[in-house]
Amino acid sequence: MKNLLILITIMLVGGCSKTPILEESVIGEYEAEVDGQKRKDVYLENGVREWYVNGRRSFTTKWSIVDGEIHVPNSYFRGRILVYRINKDKSITKIAIMKDGKRTEQPKMTVGWTYKKIK
């Protein structure tokens, strides 16, 4: 009986081992080179994301964490929501785009959509 309780406890704890993404882990600055342009995303504590292209601020938008992913509603891209995952090395990678409730996964071979955390 004791062994059964230990096994059940291990299974329950093991099933909860995935660490949720916290806003504090996302806040900061990220850079990438995409299509020959230097891009920088700045995720602020107040839920605002600033987007820079070649050192010039392009626009700001809101960001949030939904189901363990970073969601960035983006009116610049006609109402699409950009979906990012946070990687073990603290970089972020665009993994999907959502529009009108439909999710389209980002092709894995797309180059440049991983932003390295710099601050």
Side-chain angles (χ1 to χ4, degrees), residues 13-71:
V13 171
C16 299
S17 65
K18 186 176 179 185
T19 306
I21 294 177
L22 302 174
E23 288 183 5
E24 295 82 29
S25 65
V26 175
I27 294 168
E29 296 181 20
Y30 301 81
E31 283 186 342
E33 188 160 327
V34 179
D35 300 327
Q37 298 176 333
K38 285 190 174 192
R39 297 192 184 176
K40 181 167 82 170
D41 288 354
V42 179
Y43 291 82
L44 303 172
E45 286 183 49
N46 62 0
V48 170
R49 174 185 169 239
E50 298 175 342
W51 188 48
Y52 295 81
V53 177
N54 295 327
R56 300 180 79 180
R57 188 165 79 182
S58 276
F59 63 91
T60 61
T61 187
K62 291 289 206 175
W63 67 275
S64 62
I65 296 174
V66 178
D67 297 329
E69 300 171 328
I70 304 166
H71 283 216

Side-chain angles (χ1 to χ4, degrees), residues 90-104:
K90 298 184 180 179
S91 64
I92 58 174
T93 301
K94 186 171 91 171
I95 59 171
I97 297 173
M98 292 175 45
K99 182 164 176 143
D100 300 327
K102 289 184 173 181
R103 181 179 173 122
T104 304

